[in-house]
Amino acid sequence: FRTCREVTALVIAREDRIHFICQACPIFERQVLGMREALGAWRNYRDGA
Amino acid sequence: MSVPEPSSASPEQQAQWLERIEALRPTLMRLALLQLRNRAWAEDAVSEALLAAIEGLPRFGARAQVQTWVVGILKHKVLDQLRQRQREQQFEDGSDEEDPTEHMFLADGHFAQAPQVWNAPSEVLRQKQFLEVLEACMDLLPGKLGRVFLMREWLELGTDEICQELGFTPTNVWQMLSRARLRLRECLQLRWFGESRS
């Protein structure tokens, strides 16, 4: 059992290289996954789709 | 509009293709500037990409969309620029950037303010208006963070490749990417997911 600060650091780190007694961190995780999807859509958009 | 393949095209049709390639210049400039954060370097990369596209036109054969093909060329030219500039001037790592988590959490490690649910179905995340806000947020990332983040997200390099290109340690690159993602989240919260859209 770790703090939200430690857990969100892992959730973010997972994008480039997990407490969920907590209601806030799963929301943070959904935001990060939303950004992942959005960045994929942006890349397609700029690549010509 | 149906345009014949460049390899079998007449001079008039070839001119049409050249026009289409040249029309991409503002988009290419925008992308190169987003990655390189330096107008002169971006202009060099775009000029080289356009030249390579024009020279490669007979071999293009309309296998892909023109923009997809030319943006692919630009990515290589942008990476060439990064390599060339890296040799000329060592990029500093971003470890001196302010840590965005400083104001996100209380001293006990809990959120200072609980994160807000982003009501964003997939269709919203693909709207042009949203994508332009996302790009504006990437543009606001500080130079070093922005450069590394775009290498990861636009040039699609792995962290090991970024380390190799910039001479950073993996820990430095992971830290910079984390900080960039947190800043991007903060910017999207402010500019798109604020109260009026949730």
Side-chain angles (χ1 to χ4, degrees), chain B:
Chain B
M1 182 177 71
S2 169
V3 181
E5 292 187 8
S7 49
S8 60
S10 68
E12 293 77 23
Q13 290 158 342
Q14 291 266 8
Q16 266 188 316
W17 278 91
L18 292 177
E19 214 171 280
R20 288 177 68 174
I21 289 173
E22 182 58 36
L24 290 171
R25 185 184 285 271
T27 298
L28 300 179
M29 191 61 199
R30 175 96 193 85
L31 286 169
L33 202 51
L34 193 62
Q35 171 66 75
L36 293 167
R37 314 272 155 160
N38 179 300
R39 184 162 289 279
W41 303 357
E43 281 171 354
D44 284 352
V46 169
S47 297
E48 286 176 20
L50 288 172
L51 194 61
I54 290 164
E55 286 172 350
L57 203 49
R59 297 187 302 277
F60 170 48
R63 283 184 300 272
Q65 278 198 9
V66 181
Q67 183 169 336
T68 306
W69 175 59
V70 178
V71 168
I73 294 172
L74 178 68
K75 287 183 179 184
H76 286 101
K77 299 301 178 187
V78 160
L79 193 52
D80 287 347
Q81 282 290 323
L82 281 168
R83 285 172 180 153
Q84 187 184 335
R85 305 305 171 179
Q86 168 66 7
R87 281 197 297 271
E88 290 171 3
Q89 53 179 81
Q90 286 291 309
F91 292 134
E92 296 169 40
D93 69 36
S95 51
D96 57 343
E97 293 285 350
E98 183 200 347
D99 181 356
T101 62
E102 282 304 323
H103 58 275
M104 267 175 70
F105 298 99
L106 302 170
D108 64 3
H110 286 95
F111 275 101
Q113 190 174 15
Q116 176 194 325
V117 174
W118 287 356
N119 290 322
S122 291
E123 308 81 73
V124 172
L125 298 179
R126 297 172 196 191
Q127 284 174 2
K128 187 175 180 183
Q129 194 185 359
F130 172 77
L131 296 175
E132 285 177 352
V133 169
L134 176 66
E135 191 169 290
C137 286
M138 288 193 268
D139 213 7
L140 288 173
L141 291 171
K144 288 172 280 191
L145 286 189
R147 202 174 277 147
V148 168
F149 185 69
L150 268 292
M151 286 176 86
R152 178 88 174 110
E153 291 294 344
W154 182 55
L155 297 181
E156 299 182 85
L157 299 180
T159 48
D160 52 341
E161 294 170 293
I162 297 172
C163 291
Q164 198 177 347
E165 296 295 346
L166 299 180
F168 295 168
T169 66
T171 305
N172 269 339
V173 170
W174 288 329
Q175 184 187 58
M176 291 173 78
L177 289 170
S178 289
R179 288 180 177 181
R181 291 184 195 286
L182 287 169
R183 281 172 181 259
L184 195 62
R185 170 189 172 269
E186 199 172 25
C187 180
L188 288 173
Q189 175 67 51
L190 199 66
R191 291 175 166 233
W192 185 268
F193 294 108
E195 284 177 31
S196 62
R197 293 181 198 270
S198 62

